[in-house]
Amino acid sequence: GQNIDQPTEMTATEGAIVQINCTYQTSGFNGLFWYQQHAGEAPTFLSYNVLDGLEEKGRFSSFLSRSKGYSYLLLKELQMKDSASYLCAVVSGYALNFGKGTSLLVTP
Amino acid sequence: EAGVAQSPRYKIIEKRQSVAFWCNPISGHATLYWYQQILGQGPKLLIQFQNNGVVDDSQLPKDRFSAERLKGVDSTLKIQPAKLEDSAVYLCASSLGGGQTGEQYFGPGTRLTVT
C-alpha cells in the first residue's frame, strides 16, 4: 500500500522560513515530487528528488532521505503569494501517489 | 507553448445522470493522466495512458467510469451513472515521457458537482 503523510495546515509570517515535512511508506520508490496548488487552480511543479540530499531552486529547496522515507520542502523569504497547498507526491511504479497536501497560510 | 486544455470547467448534474470531460494534452506529450481530487485531499490517479494504450487503471471504478484516448492525443473521461461521491475536481495532466521521472503538467480541471 501507499502511505504519504504531511501536516494538514501551517501558518508562517511574511519574510520568514518554513519547512513542510513529508514522510512516506510506499511499495517501490522512483522519486518524489513537490507541487504547489493555489485554491481553485491546478498543481504546478516545484521540485523533483530521486537521490538523497538537498536540491535548491531559488527560494525553494527540497530534501530527500530515502532510508528514512522522508522529505521536506523549505520555503525562504516567504511572500504572501506563497499561501497555497503544497503536495508531496511519490513515484511508485508507474503511478504518482499524492499526499493530502499541506495548506500554508502566510500572514503579514 | 499551450498548456493542457480541459473542458468544461464546471459541470453540475443530478445523480444517475451521465457526464463527459475532455482533455487535450500538451503537443508531443506521450503520457496522459486523469486524476480525481476531492476537496481537501490530494489528487488520486484514475487512469494513465501511454500514447493510446492504458498503463494503469487500477483505481478507476470501471463499473461507472470509462476513459479513452483513441488517437493518442486528446482524451475523454466519462461517468455513467454519476453518484454523489463523484463530486470532485477532475484533473488532466500530461508528460513528455513515461511519467516516472518526468514532470507532469496539469490542466485547470473540471469541477463536477453531483446533486
Side-chain angles (χ1 to χ4, degrees):
Chain A
Q2 319 293 341
N3 190 30
I4 301 170
D5 287 319
Q6 309 177 231
T8 303
E9 294 179 341
M10 298 183 72
T11 302
T13 307
E14 191 176 15
I17 299 173
V18 71
Q19 178 175 311
I20 303 174
N21 295 323
C22 172
T23 58
Y24 62 89
Q25 292 175 306
T26 58
S27 53
F29 178 85
N30 288 316
L32 187 145
F33 286 86
W34 283 95
Y35 279 83
Q36 180 191 60
Q37 187 175 28
H38 285 99
E41 299 183 12
T44 55
F45 170 84
L46 289 178
S47 68
Y48 171 70
N49 294 69
V50 66
L51 299 176
D52 292 349
L54 187 68
E55 295 280 343
E56 297 185 81
K57 188 186 294 185
R59 294 190 299 116
F60 291 8
S61 302
S62 57
F63 172 83
L64 175 67
S65 170
R66 289 171 295 170
S67 62
K68 296 182 180 178
Y70 168 69
S71 173
Y72 68 73
L73 180 70
L74 192 70
L75 291 77
K76 303 175 185 175
E77 301 169 14
L78 280 173
Q79 302 175 10
M80 298 298 290
K81 66 178 182 180
D82 297 331
S83 291
S85 181
Y86 291 85
L87 300 165
C88 172
V90 175
V91 184
S92 177
Y94 289 103
L96 190 60
N97 299 289
F98 283 86
K100 292 186 177 181
T102 299
S103 180
L104 174 66
L105 176 64
V106 180
T107 60
Chain B
E1 176 183 85
V4 177
Q6 290 188 246
S7 67
R9 291 296 310 277
Y10 304 92
K11 190 74 177 178
I12 301 174
I13 61 172
E14 295 182 351
K15 59 183 179 184
R16 291 187 289 273
Q17 287 187 321
S18 301
V19 65
F21 313 129
W22 175 82
C23 171
N24 191 27
I26 292 173
S27 177
H29 280 195
T31 308
L32 184 148
Y33 314 79
W34 283 102
Y35 290 89
Q36 179 193 59
Q37 186 172 24
I38 293 172
L39 188 65
Q41 297 185 19
K44 182 183 84 171
L45 180 68
L46 294 176
I47 189 166
Q48 177 180 340
F49 292 95
Q50 179 87 11
N51 296 309
N52 60 352
V54 175
V55 174
D56 183 355
D57 63 356
S58 57
Q59 297 193 91
L60 187 74
K62 298 180 186 63
D63 57 334
R64 297 184 302 107
F65 286 62
S66 64
E68 60 183 15
R69 192 185 186 199
L70 291 175
K71 296 182 180 179
V73 180
D74 56 354
S75 175
T76 56
L77 175 70
K78 296 179 181 178
I79 308 175
Q80 181 179 7
K83 293 185 175 181
L84 295 176
E85 59 260 35
D86 298 332
S87 294
V89 175
Y90 290 84
L91 295 165
C92 179
S94 69
S95 64
L96 195 59
Q100 289 181 316
T101 58
E103 176 185 345
Q104 293 185 25
Y105 296 83
F106 286 83
T110 296
R111 183 176 297 276
L112 173 68
T113 302
V114 182
T115 62

